[in-house]
Every structure is written in C-alpha cells, then in structure tokens.
C-alpha cells in the first residue's frame, strides 16, 4: 500500500521513535478547517474573479489542502469546521468570545465554495451544533488513538496543544512545524497535560477567557511548575510570596476554575460517524476542474491537467447541521482579456428606451460586481448634479444611461433620473454586490445627493495605481489606460470643448457623451482587474489596499459630504482686520524704505534693500531677475536687526493668511449649507498621508494668534460641540518603536515630557532642571532627526556652529541607542530595494537614492529616513479612522468625523453623546495598533476648533 511517493513525502520530521513507528501505522489527519479558512483568507489577498467576486480564500484553501494531501498522503482525514451559534461554553460564561469580530463578509461568501472544494477532494467535512471544531477534533483524536492510529492535528491553534500526547501530534500549517510533547513543553513551560491549568491562570484574550488578573503565561507556568497543578495552587495560596499575586489568586479562585473549564476541549461529542467514514478516497477531478474553471484559477487548471485523473464518488455527507445552499457557479467568460487591446471593437450602448432599460436591469441584477461611473455638471462633487451613469462588467462592453442632458443634447429623449435611481438604488446600496471604478469617492458623494449610500466598494483604479507606482506617475484614467492597457482614450476636452467653446457635460450630445462615458466604466473594469493581479504579488501592499485604503473611501466621502460649519461673521471680520493691518504695515514699510514702492514686487524690494542708492544692506545675492528676497534672506536680515525685512515677513504672513485662508474659506462656503467641503486626497503623497484641497486645511498655522483665530471660525451647530483628538508625539513614538530605542521607550512608558527628557540627557541635568531654551533645542533635535536633518541643518535651526551641532547629534546617538542603527539600516534597505516600507506595508519609492549628484542623493536620504515614520503615522491614523467610524456606526451614535489634519481627527458630536463618545474615541485611537510604546491621544472639546484643540 506504500508507494515511492509516499516514502519520500509522507515521513514527517520529528523524534526518531515517533517518526519510525508512524511509518507503519495508519494515520488520521484532523484538519482545523476554521483555522484553514482564515489562514487562506489573509494569506492570499486581492484575488477575485473577473466579475469581482472574491476568490482569495478559495484559492488559498485549495492550495493548502492539495499540498497537505500530496505531501503526507494520509489514510484517514477529516476537515472540521466550527458550527454557527453558541456552544455550551456560552451557558457557562455569557461573555465567552465576546470580543471576537464577526467573519469578514468577503470570507463568508466564499465558505460554501470552500466546502465544495473539500467535497471535490473526497474529504469528509464535519461540524456539529453546540460544539466547536476543537471539541470534534478532540473526540476524533481520542477515537483514532484507541483504534491504534497515529493522529495528526493540523492547526496553529495553541488551544489544541492540550491534546498532544503519545500518539497525537500537531502540524502547524503556517510554519510546517511538527509539535510533539517536547515542543509543547518548550512553548508553554509546562507539559501538554498541564496546559489547561496554565490557561486557568493566564486566561485567553482571544476567546475572552478571564483567568486571574495580573498573571500572564510566564508567571502561570512558574506557578504550575512550583505547585504541580491548579487545584494544589489554589488550596495553598498562603505559600505564594508576592502579596498582590496571592490576594489575586484568593479573590479570583472561582474565575480560575471557570477559565480552566472554558479552555477544556470536550472529547465526548456525540458524533454519528465511524472512523471508516474518514478513509481518504481519490479526488473527483472533474468536479475540481469545474470549480477551478468557475473561479478562474488558470494555474490550478494547468496543474490538474498534469495530474492523473481519478474520478470518485462523493464522500459520505456527515455535516451534522443542514448544509448551506451553495449558489450556482457562473461560467467564466470566454472572452480573453489578454487579447490584442488595440484591435478589439467596443460594444458601447446608450439606453434611452424604458423597455430596453428594464431588460438591462434584469441583466444587471444577475451580476455580483460591476464598474460604475457618473457624469455630472461639475468636478466639485458637493455642487455637482447627476447627468448620466455608465456601467460595465465585461471586457470592451459598457452601457450609458443618460438622465439629465439638456433637451438639445438629447432630442430623441432620455431616461428619467428618478426612475433610474429608484431601479438602481437596491443594487447600489447592497454591500454584497461589488462596485469598481476610478475615484469612487466622487461617485459616492454624487449618489449621496439623491439619498443613496453607495455600498460594496471593492476596487478603485486610482488607489491601486498609487499604491503600485507611488507619486511618480499620474493616476488619472487616461494615464492608466495608456500605460497599463495600451489604449488612447477620448479626452474630456474633445467632447466638452475648451476655452470659449467649453460646455458642461449635460450640453454634450448623446452620440458623443455615450461612448466617452462608457469608456470610463469599461476601462475602470479592465484596469482594476489587471492591477489586482499586480497587487497579488505584493501581499503586504495588497493587504494595505484591501483593509485600509478601500474601507477609507466611503469614510472620506462622508466627511467631505458633511463638511464643517463656518462662522461667516468671524471670517469676514478677520479678513477685514488682516486687510487693515496689512495697509498699516505698507505705510511703515514705505517710511523705512524712504518712499513708496510695490511691496509685492521682489525685484523692487531687492533694490530697496541692497542697492547702494537705497538702504545698501551688505550680503545681498543677485539672481537672473534681481536680488533674492526669499524668506531665508529676509529672516537672516531680520535677525541682524534690520526693521524693514522684519516688517516684510509679517506682511507676507498676513497676506497669506488672508488670501489662502480667510478669503478662500469665505469663497469656499457652500451657500446652501453654510459649510465648507474640503477634498481629502488619498493618492497624492509619497508616504500615504492624506492631503486636502479646495480649500487646503492642512497648513493652517496653529502656533500664531492669527492661525488660532482661523480655527475659531470652524464652529459646531447649536446643541453640538467639536471634539478634537490628537495623537501625542506620534512620530517620536514611532521612532522609539521602529528603532527599538530603550531610553525613548522608557520616557514614553513613564509618561514623561520626551523633549524635556531628551534635554536632560543632552545637557546632563535632571528633568526638573531643564530650561525652556534647553527643551526647545532638544525638541528641534528630536524632530530634526526624524526628518533626516544634517549637522549643518541642525546648526542653522539652532543658531549654533556646525561643530557644536555635530557634538549634540553624536551625544544624542550615544544616549539613544538604536536611532543611528535604524537610520543606517533604513538607508541600506532603500539603496538595495529602491523603496522603504511603513508599518502598514506601504512601499515608498525613493528616487535618487543612488544618484551621483550629492544634493539629490542627500535629499533622497532624508526622505528615506523620514518616510517610514511619517508613512507609518499615516497608516495608523487611517486605521484609527476606520476603527472609530465603525464603532460610531455600530453604536448608533450621531457623532461623525468631519476633518483629518495631520495627526488630528475632528468630530462633530451632540452634547448629550459626549460622555459615551469621548472614551470611545480614546479607546479606538489608542488601541488601533500595538507598539513597543503606548499610544496616547489628547482630547479637547469646544464650541469651535480653537477651543477644542
């Protein structure tokens, strides 16, 4: 019965005595199917069929199962799944697994197909109401040992380690590592039969098993080693020397016994199948081919074609709860997307007839995913009106639904907007039907105007392109189509005109508008499919895309749509005040200059400052257009005591405040809502930080009275307040984490003022003796290093000599061990790969890191050092937004996010929700990621932004 293949692949590594004996024994493999599901889902990301149906878990599960069977050729095998609903443990402890998140919808949809895969491999799958998969595995394992089999539990679940015993071992599928009694003992510090005693003390956070407060696995292992078992320990707590530990054991003795009971695997599940039912049979190759064809697994189909086919009857059905209805699998499209793109003919339709639209809707309702694009009257989503909708779900095919073109543009008539939206609403709001497109945040806002919440956003070509190529390439659909698909698109200018001939899209005739709109949807469909395959080769980037960037789309869209309330009176008064101050400054500047001149002219200002006929200040540098009068020059002259440059700096600051903020904000206010609706951009920056535009709210100066006055114009509606939540010193905390810097970690763990702590290290004084000037210098050094500042740059910022600046940096690196190593390793990695990565897996390309041009190379090096820190901060706050938005919606709160600026989130909250929302915000933001230092959030509340921050 043993083949040469069995001999080479099946002999498992492990202790010689077990390995040799198992060679002659029948082996029963019990696979933790629930664990396999999640391992497959998270191990293979961003894979789906052409229609958008996610297939990553199915593919990963198939590969894992195929490898297991091929490598180990088990005689008996069962795939064991958790059943739905509660188990007997919930009756013992209602909060059991209360902190478990529900299965992701994309995984849930794949489970029925995965069970078909198991059946096609002719493997029995088992589950039973009221019991967990672990209980079934435990029951079958005991039966197998009693029958003289060697039992192999295939799982990475540490709870199952209690099962390891003579005749029972575990195989961790992630590490391909066998676990016997020695390995379990090494892992826990106690042998397998004592694992339950240990878990009674330490509990299990993943299952919400409480254990004894203050006792973790290491302490629990020490106690079990000393006392022998849990009951002996609880009966002899007087021997425990540590007072707090002894008191905790006495107080929580009952909880420890309950925890042990909850962790105990029930090995007596009443199963109605015999071990013979688990004998492995040849796979049903025809059924496997059918599944792989339907799921578009071309590589697996090729693999099947090279393997011997062996048809087999379906395995005995022993699933002890009613099997879920498995939906029919759609047949893959026969049209090859890899065909010559340049020679294909487009099938674009314009639908204006009600009967044709009804037939189209029948076809659309059969799709599990489609591309969608809106045509509107404006590029400003919050002010745009819907003109038409294009949809596509197949290569080179698309449909345009015109709904609001002007009569002259649609002389033969068009569809009614209300009727089209009413028909589309159930599909657009269905989270189980995937939507793909280009910049779907815009489309989300357009549909929101008509009380439709776009759900099921699955792919966005804009975000895919940015994650793949970074900021070095444009990510509009025209560029993507040209670079990725080799297609030259029809430009908007060609259909809508330019200059004096420009017209809104509702004035574009249907015969021109239709093909243009169809092209948008069809190109987005094909581009997202292609880039999805590219991302599949970069699992970390794909995970960031799937779990962070895509969920953020609807959150940002909702923030933009909501906007922020502005006090027009405050802004108007401030703008007038700024204008008065500027006028007064111009008068003083003219007096200092000895006569009037255009203060906005850099050439005239340069002549006033540096020409011998005027002020004749020494040190001016001529350029091709005259003397330089940039901010660096004016600052240097002001520091030397020259009054005119000092006044000019103030004048320029006030001018920027008025033009960029007060006047711009007034102009940006939506007259219908009285609110300002900025745009948050996901696909602009190198590091993934969000930027804002129209208007830009990221750079409002907050350290000046004028900047704080601008924030005071952002107000809350009556009965509401603004809640500002700001990550405290997040970049320094990330430096402490990434560089594993002991002294920085200690400062944060102790909740010290980290700048004062740095000053104390650098200047050799106690923290309480640090002066404000020393703290300022330490702060400059802390943040300067994050941005890759050189000794020259530090000297310039601190106003000291280069040698002194270098000595400070050397002392800093000596005191903060780990910082220099982090910087050096980052630069080495950037030179080797051409990019650096963030904690979230984002790749930040570093151009010129190997340039022969010293200036370009040094800029690239500074960027390389800063990007992992700033990018990780960006990842973190995006994750916090997702976590916070989810918590607010699940809690039914009216509180909502309205702004994100750097490391700060601003929420609009009803006053009565504050007692609940404040701790919710803190918990969501501080718990979003586990670092080597604690995350801290500063919260503030006020009737305006200035009060709250």
């Amino acid at each position: 019965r043993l083949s040469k293949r069995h001999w080479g692949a099946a002999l498992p590594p492990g202790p010689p005595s077990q390995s040799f004996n198992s060679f002659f024994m029948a082996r029963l493999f019990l696979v933790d199917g629930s664990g396999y599901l999640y391992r497959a889902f998270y191990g293979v990301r961003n894979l789906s069929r052409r229609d958008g149906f996610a297939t990553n878990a199915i593919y990963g599960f198939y590969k894992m199962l195929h490898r297991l069977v091929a490598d180990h050729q088990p005689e008996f095998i069962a795939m064991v799944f958790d059943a739905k609903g509660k188990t007997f443990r919930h009756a013992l402890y209602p909060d059991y697994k209360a902190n478990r998140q529900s299965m992701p919808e994309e995984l849930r949809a794949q489970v029925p197909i995965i069970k078909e895969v198991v059946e096609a491999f002719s493997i029995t799958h088992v589950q039973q109401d009221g019991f967990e998969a672990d209980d079934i595995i435990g029951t079958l394992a005991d039966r197998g040992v009693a029958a003289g089999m060697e039992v192999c539990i295939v799982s990475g679940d540490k709870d199952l380690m209690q099962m390891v015993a003579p005749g029972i071992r575990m195989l961790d599928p992630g590490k391909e590592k066998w676990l016997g009694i020695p390995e379990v003992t090494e892992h826990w510090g106690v042998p397998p039969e004592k694992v339950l005693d240990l878990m009674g003390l330490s509990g299990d956070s993943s299952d919400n098993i409480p254990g004894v407060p203050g006792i973790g696995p290491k302490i629990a292992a020490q106690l079990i080693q000393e006392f022998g078992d849990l009951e002996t320990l609880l009966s002899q707590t007087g021997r425990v020397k540590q007072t707090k530990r002894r008191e905790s054991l006495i107080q929580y003795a009952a909880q420890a016994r309950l925890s042990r009971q909850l962790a105990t695997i029930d090995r007596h599940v009443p199963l109605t199948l015999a071990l013979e039912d688990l004998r492995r049979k040849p796979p049903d190759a025809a059924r496997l081919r059918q599944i792989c064809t339907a799921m578009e697994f071309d590589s697996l189909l090729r693999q099947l074609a090279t393997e011997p086919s062996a048809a087999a009857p379906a395995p005995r059905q022993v699933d002890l709860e009613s099997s879920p209805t498995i939906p029919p699998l759609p047949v893959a499209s026969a049209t090859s997307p890899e065909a010559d793109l340049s020679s294909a003919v487009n099938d674009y339709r314009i639908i204006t007839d009600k009967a044709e639209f009804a037939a189209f809707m029948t076809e659309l309702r059969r799709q599990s995913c489609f591309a969608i694009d809106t045509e509107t009257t404006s590029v400003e989503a919050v002010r745009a009106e819907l003109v038409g909708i294009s949809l596509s779900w197949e290569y080179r095919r698309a449909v345009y639904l015109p709904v609001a073109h002007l009569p002259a543009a649609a002389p033969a008539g068009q569809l009614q907007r209300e009727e089209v939206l009413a028909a589309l609403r159930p599909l657009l709001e269905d989270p189980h039907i995937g939507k793909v497109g280009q910049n779907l945040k815009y489309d989300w806002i357009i549909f929101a105007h008509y009380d439709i919440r776009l759900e099921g956003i699955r792919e966005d070509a804009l975000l895919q392109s940015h994650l793949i190529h970074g900021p070095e390439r444009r990510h509009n659909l025209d560029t993507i189509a040209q670079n990725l698909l080799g297609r030259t698109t029809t430009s908007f200018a060609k259909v809508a005109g330019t200059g004096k001939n420009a017209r809104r899209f509702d004035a574009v005739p249907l015969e021109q508008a239709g093909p243009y709109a169809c092209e948008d949807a069809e190109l987005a469909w094909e581009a997202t499919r292609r880039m999805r395959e590219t991302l599949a080769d970069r699992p970390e980037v794909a995970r960031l895309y799937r779990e962070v960037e895509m969920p953020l789309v609807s959150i940002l869209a909702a923030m933009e749509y909501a906007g922020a309330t502005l006090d027009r009176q405050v802004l108007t008064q401030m703008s007038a005040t700024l204008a008065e101050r500027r006028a007064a400054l111009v008068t003083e500047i003219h007096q200092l200059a000895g006569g009037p001149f255009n203060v906005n002219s850099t050439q005239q200002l340069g002549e006033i400052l540096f020409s011998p006929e005027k002020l004749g200040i020494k040190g001016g540098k001529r350029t091709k257009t005259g003397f330089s009068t940039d901010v660096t020059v004016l600052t240097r002259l002001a520091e030397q005591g020259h009054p005119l440059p000092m006044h000019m700096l103030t004048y320029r600051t006030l001018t920027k405040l008025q033009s960029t903020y007060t006047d711009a904000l007034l102009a940006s206010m939506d007259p219908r809502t009285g609110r300002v609706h900025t745009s948050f951009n996901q696909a602009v920056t190198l590091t993934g930080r969000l930027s804002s535009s129209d208007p830009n709210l990221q750079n409002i100066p907050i350290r000046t009275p004028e900047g704080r006055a601008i924030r005071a114009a952002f107000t809350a509606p009556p009965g509401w307040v603004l809640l500002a939540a700001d990550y405290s010193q997040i970049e320094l905390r990330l430096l402490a984490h990434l560089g594993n810097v002991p002294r920085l970690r200690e400062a944060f763990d102790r909740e010290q003022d980290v700048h004062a702590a740095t000053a104390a290290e650098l200047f050799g004084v106690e923290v309480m003796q640090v002066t404000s000037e020393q703290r300022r210098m330490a702060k400059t050094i802390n943040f300067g290093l994050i941005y890759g500042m050189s000794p020259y740059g530090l000297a310039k910022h601190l106003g000291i000599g280069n040698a002194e600046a270098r000595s400070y940096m050397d002392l800093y690196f000596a005191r903060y061990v780990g910082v220099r190593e982090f910087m050096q390793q980052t630069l080495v990695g950037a030179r080797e790969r051409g990019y650096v990565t963030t904690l979230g897996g984002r790749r930040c390309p570093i151009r010129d890191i190997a340039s022969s041009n010293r200036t370009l190379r040094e800029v690239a090096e500074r960027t390389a050092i800063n990007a992992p820190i700033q990018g990780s901060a960006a990842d973190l706050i995006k994750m916090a937004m997702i976590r916070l938005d989810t918590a607010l919606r699940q809690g039914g709160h009216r509180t909502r996010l309205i702004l994100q600026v750097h490391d700060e989130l601003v929420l609009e909250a009803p006053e009565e929700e504050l007692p609940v929302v404040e701790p919710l915000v803190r918990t969501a933001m501080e718990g979003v990621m586990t670092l080597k230092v604690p995350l801290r959030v500063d919260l503030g509340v006020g009737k305006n932004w200035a009060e709250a921050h």
Side-chain angles (χ1 to χ4, degrees):
R1 110 184 133 76
L2 300 174
S3 66
K4 290 182 180 179
R5 177 177 180 182
H6 193 168
W7 177 273
L11 194 62
S17 59
Q18 286 191 350
S19 299
F20 182 79
N21 291 334
S22 67
F23 182 76
F24 298 100
M25 297 170 62
R27 293 179 307 154
L28 168 62
F29 274 59
L30 300 172
V31 186
D32 177 5
S34 298
Y36 252 39
L37 288 177
Y38 283 92
R39 186 175 295 276
F41 181 72
Y42 290 109
V44 179
R45 304 312 306 263
N46 208 33
L47 183 66
S48 58
R49 284 189 316 219
R50 200 171 307 166
D51 63 1
F53 179 81
T55 57
N56 58 316
I58 303 168
Y59 181 87
F61 194 100
Y62 183 111
K63 292 280 287 184
M64 291 165 66
L65 185 54
H66 181 276
R67 180 179 179 182
L68 179 73
V69 172
D71 285 356
H72 302 286
Q73 296 288 316
E75 292 85 352
F76 297 83
I77 185 170
M79 184 69 65
V80 187
F81 293 104
D82 285 321
K84 297 178 182 178
K86 297 183 177 181
T87 70
F88 67 91
R89 293 178 179 85
H90 291 89
L92 294 172
Y93 185 57
D95 288 335
Y96 178 68
K97 290 192 175 181
N99 55 358
R100 283 284 182 96
Q101 295 184 349
S102 59
M103 180 181 288
E105 285 300 320
E106 281 194 345
L107 174 57
R108 190 186 305 279
Q110 298 179 68
V111 170
I113 314 300
I114 285 173
K115 290 186 177 179
E116 277 211 345
V117 170
V118 176
E119 292 175 359
F121 271 93
S122 298
I123 293 173
T124 299
H125 60 82
V126 190
Q127 63 192 72
Q128 181 150 319
D129 288 339
F131 296 89
E132 296 180 39
D134 290 2
D135 300 317
I136 298 172
I137 289 172
T139 300
L140 291 173
D142 280 358
R143 290 189 186 180
V145 171
M149 296 179 175
E150 185 201 19
V151 176
C152 303
I153 298 174
V154 184
S155 175
D157 188 351
K158 65 182 186 299
D159 296 347
L160 282 164
M161 291 185 185
Q162 64 184 273
M163 291 294 305
V164 173
I168 302 176
R169 287 186 298 156
M170 286 181 65
L171 172 61
D172 186 333
K175 302 176 181 178
E176 280 295 316
K177 178 181 179 181
W178 286 88
L179 303 175
I181 294 173
E183 289 80 10
V184 173
T185 304
E186 180 183 359
H187 176 87
W188 287 109
V190 297
E193 65 269 18
K194 303 293 185 182
V195 167
L196 288 172
D197 291 328
L198 182 147
M199 295 182 71
L201 292 171
S202 65
D204 185 350
S205 59
S206 64
D207 288 343
N208 203 36
I209 296 176
V212 177
I215 297 182
K218 289 185 179 179
I219 300 299
Q222 293 172 8
L223 290 170
I224 297 303
Q225 290 167 8
E226 180 179 354
F227 287 85
D229 56 54
L230 179 64
E231 284 304 324
T232 302
L233 169 64
L234 296 178
S235 65
Q236 299 179 18
T237 51
R239 290 172 49 196
V240 177
K241 297 177 182 179
Q242 295 83 357
T243 304
K244 289 186 177 180
R245 190 178 299 170
R246 182 173 61 250
E247 291 174 352
S248 189
L249 286 167
I250 294 172
Q251 182 179 353
Y252 294 98
Q255 189 165 287
R257 293 186 176 97
L258 172 63
S259 297
R260 188 188 194 281
Q261 187 176 3
L262 291 172
T264 302
I265 290 175
D266 186 344
R267 306 188 186 195
H268 304 284
V269 179
L271 299 174
T272 59
L273 77 164
L275 289 176
E276 185 59 30
D277 297 317
L278 307 183
R279 185 179 292 278
R280 186 171 62 88
K281 306 171 185 67
D284 187 341
R287 196 173 182 189
L288 287 174
R289 280 193 293 271
Q290 178 190 18
I291 294 172
C292 291
T293 300
M295 294 296 104
E296 302 174 3
F297 295 154
D298 294 342
S299 62
L300 298 186
L301 281 169
R302 289 192 294 270
Q303 178 179 296
L304 277 168
T306 63
E307 294 178 344
S309 61
R316 174 179 170 181
Q317 178 57 260
V318 295
D319 191 345
L320 301 179
E321 72 167 6
S322 57
S323 299
T325 302
I326 299 177
L329 302 176
V331 178
S333 171
T335 307
S336 171
E338 312 301 335
D340 182 6
L341 293 170
S342 61
S343 62
V345 178
N346 294 329
D347 179 9
Y348 293 163
R349 285 191 296 155
I350 304 171
I351 296 179
T352 59
D353 178 74
K354 286 187 176 182
E356 189 179 0
F357 174 66
F360 164 76
M361 286 303 301
T362 299
E363 187 179 7
L364 181 62
R365 292 186 186 100
R366 292 198 292 263
Q367 310 309 315
S368 60
C369 183
F370 53 80
I372 189 163
D373 184 71
T374 56
E375 302 298 342
T376 66
T377 58
S378 172
V379 294
E380 295 183 56
V382 294
R383 301 187 183 187
E385 296 180 5
L386 183 65
V387 174
I389 303 170
S390 55
L391 303 104
S392 175
W393 59 85
E394 193 172 330
Y395 176 64
R396 288 285 186 174
R397 292 186 61 195
V399 163
Y400 180 58
L401 310 175
V403 297
H405 283 263
L406 298 175
Q414 58 190 311
L415 301 171
Q416 295 298 311
R417 183 161 57 194
E418 293 75 14
E419 294 178 2
V420 169
L421 291 177
L424 288 174
R425 179 189 298 274
L427 304 183
L428 297 178
E429 294 186 340
D430 190 335
H432 302 292
I433 299 176
K435 294 31 171 230
V436 306
Q438 164 78 8
N439 191 19
L440 283 172
K441 177 162 63 72
Y442 179 93
D443 304 288
W444 190 102
I445 296 172
I446 297 303
F447 287 121
H449 290 318
Y450 304 95
D451 296 321
I452 295 174
R453 183 180 177 93
L454 186 64
E455 297 282 3
I457 293 177
R458 187 169 292 167
E459 308 284 359
D460 194 312
L462 173 74
L463 302 181
Q464 289 176 321
S465 179
H466 184 254
L467 284 171
I468 293 170
H469 301 292
E472 297 180 352
R473 181 181 292 184
R474 298 178 65 190
H475 309 297
N476 60 345
L477 198 55
D478 295 338
T479 303
I480 293 172
Q482 181 65 55
N483 292 331
L484 184 65
L485 308 177
R487 290 170 61 174
T488 301
T489 59
T490 302
S491 68
F492 182 80
K494 186 173 182 179
V495 297
T498 59
K500 295 180 179 180
N501 298 321
R503 55 189 172 184
R504 294 196 323 185
F505 198 80
D506 55 355
V508 176
L510 289 190
E511 60 269 21
Q512 293 176 292
Y516 171 85
C518 284
E519 188 178 64
D520 279 352
E522 186 260 323
L523 286 174
W525 175 262
E526 184 63 16
T528 54
R529 186 192 70 81
R530 295 285 189 90
M531 287 189 284
R532 186 166 64 244
E533 294 175 355
T534 302
L535 285 171
D537 294 330
R538 304 177 184 178
E540 291 301 316
V541 181
R543 181 176 182 180
L544 180 74
Y545 168 69
R546 186 66 58 198
E547 297 182 5
V548 178
E549 297 297 349
M550 288 308 297
L552 198 64
V553 170
S554 58
I555 295 172
L556 294 176
M559 291 168 63
E560 292 182 19
Y561 185 69
T565 301
L566 285 176
D567 189 321
R568 179 178 289 275
Q569 185 175 353
V570 168
L571 282 174
T572 302
Q573 179 59 49
M574 186 176 179
S575 191
T577 301
L578 289 172
E580 292 173 2
R581 291 181 59 190
R582 289 173 61 219
L585 274 171
V586 169
T587 300
E588 293 183 37
I589 290 169
H590 286 169
Q591 290 175 351
L592 291 169
F597 71 99
N598 182 0
V599 295
N600 296 314
S601 169
T602 57
Q603 292 181 356
Q604 292 185 34
L605 175 61
E607 292 297 323
I608 293 291
L609 292 173
F610 301 114
S611 67
E613 297 81 14
K614 298 296 183 180
L615 297 182
I617 298 175
K618 302 297 183 181
K621 294 183 179 180
R622 278 194 174 274
T623 66
K624 293 181 179 180
T625 58
F627 288 101
S628 172
T629 59
D630 61 19
V631 65
T632 303
V633 172
L634 294 182
T635 300
R636 174 172 53 82
L637 295 177
E639 290 172 348
Q640 293 173 1
H642 296 288
L644 193 151
M646 189 180 300
H647 282 59
M648 278 302 308
L649 287 170
T650 305
Y651 172 81
R652 288 182 178 179
T653 299
L654 297 180
T655 300
K656 183 176 181 179
L657 285 170
Q658 182 176 354
S659 62
T660 305
Y661 296 110
T662 59
D663 291 352
L665 287 172
L666 284 168
S668 299
M669 286 180 65
D670 191 319
R672 299 168 299 179
T673 64
R675 297 169 76 95
V676 62
H677 303 267
T678 188
S679 294
F680 293 102
N681 309 305
Q682 285 178 267
V684 172
T685 65
L686 170 75
T687 61
R689 271 191 181 271
L690 294 173
S691 66
S692 76
S693 56
D694 304 319
N696 179 4
L697 303 181
Q698 298 280 4
N699 296 322
I700 298 176
I702 61 173
R703 294 181 178 86
T704 64
E706 295 84 5
R708 289 191 290 273
I710 292 172
R711 286 198 168 201
F714 288 79
T715 61
W720 293 60
V721 292
L722 295 186
L723 173 63
D726 192 6
Y727 276 117
S728 171
Q729 297 174 330
I730 187 60
E731 291 184 336
L732 284 174
R733 292 176 190 269
L734 286 166
L735 175 62
H737 171 81
L738 293 169
N740 194 21
V741 185
R743 287 182 182 264
L744 273 181
R745 290 175 59 184
E746 181 181 356
F748 284 122
D749 287 339
R750 293 182 176 182
E751 302 289 347
Q752 290 180 335
D753 178 339
V754 73
H755 300 311
T758 299
E761 294 282 351
L762 293 178
F763 300 109
V765 299
E766 295 295 326
V767 173
M768 299 302 294
Q769 297 174 329
V770 170
T771 66
S772 59
E773 178 61 17
Q774 289 172 332
R775 185 184 183 278
R776 182 191 69 81
M777 294 178 70
K779 183 176 182 180
T780 301
I781 295 170
N782 274 330
F783 285 113
L785 290 175
I786 290 175
Y787 286 90
M789 189 180 291
S790 65
Y792 171 78
L794 181 62
K796 188 175 179 181
H797 276 78
L798 293 179
I800 60 178
N802 290 344
E804 187 179 0
R806 184 177 295 279
S807 68
Y808 280 140
M809 292 182 69
D810 290 342
L811 182 57
Y812 184 97
F813 288 135
R815 296 285 186 177
Y816 289 105
V817 177
V819 174
R820 189 194 297 271
E821 291 75 8
F822 162 72
M823 296 169 67
Q824 291 174 341
Q825 290 171 7
T826 300
L827 290 176
V828 170
R831 294 187 186 105
E832 289 178 351
R833 297 186 297 268
Y835 62 86
V836 294
T837 57
T838 68
L839 285 177
R842 185 184 308 277
R843 293 185 180 183
C844 305
I846 307 298
R847 291 184 58 189
D848 304 317
I849 191 66
S851 174
S852 58
N853 184 306
R854 178 180 176 182
T855 301
L856 293 177
R857 186 175 66 253
E858 289 179 347
V859 170
E861 289 173 349
R862 290 195 293 272
T863 301
I865 291 170
N866 173 249
I869 298 173
Q870 191 179 109
S872 295
D875 296 340
L876 188 145
I877 201 162
K878 286 179 176 180
M879 295 175 189
M881 293 172 72
I882 296 168
R883 183 181 173 118
L884 180 54
D885 179 77
T886 301
L888 290 172
R889 288 190 290 108
Q890 288 180 346
H893 302 296
R894 291 188 293 158
T895 299
R896 59 185 178 180
L897 282 162
I898 59 170
L899 294 174
Q900 190 278 323
V901 178
H902 301 308
D903 304 321
E904 178 182 7
L905 298 178
V906 181
L907 299 94
E908 202 172 57
E911 292 179 354
E912 67 272 14
E913 287 188 4
L914 273 180
V916 176
V917 167
E918 282 192 82
L920 183 151
V921 171
R922 187 181 299 280
T923 300
M925 294 182 68
E926 291 184 347
V928 73
M929 186 183 290
T930 301
L931 302 179
K932 295 171 185 174
V933 294
L935 288 173
R936 291 292 179 261
V937 172
D938 297 324
L939 294 180
V941 177
K943 293 299 293 182
N944 62 60
W945 193 4
E947 289 180 5
H949 184 80

